[in-house]
Amino acid sequence: RAYQVIWYILGLIEVLLAFRFILKALGANPTSGFTSFIYALSNPFALPFRGIFPTAVAQGAVVEWSTLVACVVYLIVAIRS
């Protein structure tokens, strides 16, 4: 049962981080309700990894490599649990 809970939580975190990455990469308006909601929920999970790699910015689009690192690290932690 604990195994299922771990994978459920991982799934939620991964979806939040994926939305964050896609919204930033597509240059979504950060003041939009949905976008700010996703950023607020995903920020605690992305924050520990911020600054690992530089953030690429081009024409309003942001590629947060640290968010992808966070996805991989959380996946590895879940697999090891």
Side-chain angles (χ1 to χ4, degrees):
R1 183 82 180 142
Y3 185 76
Q4 289 175 331
V5 171
I6 289 170
W7 282 99
Y8 179 73
I9 293 170
L10 171 73
L12 289 175
I13 292 171
E14 293 286 335
V15 166
L16 285 173
L17 290 172
F19 268 120
R20 177 187 184 92
F21 183 81
I22 291 167
L23 289 171
K24 286 197 177 254
L26 295 176
N29 180 0
T31 60
S32 163
F34 178 74
T35 305
S36 63
F37 176 71
I38 294 296
Y39 290 171
L41 286 179
S42 63
N43 194 48
F45 302 110
L47 189 62
F49 303 95
R50 190 162 296 139
I52 291 177
F53 295 110
T55 301
V57 179
Q59 298 175 354
V62 178
V63 177
E64 265 188 350
W65 295 109
S66 58
T67 301
L68 292 180
V69 171
C71 286
V72 171
V73 169
Y74 289 125
L75 179 62
I76 291 171
V77 168
I79 289 171
R80 300 293 300 173
S81 297

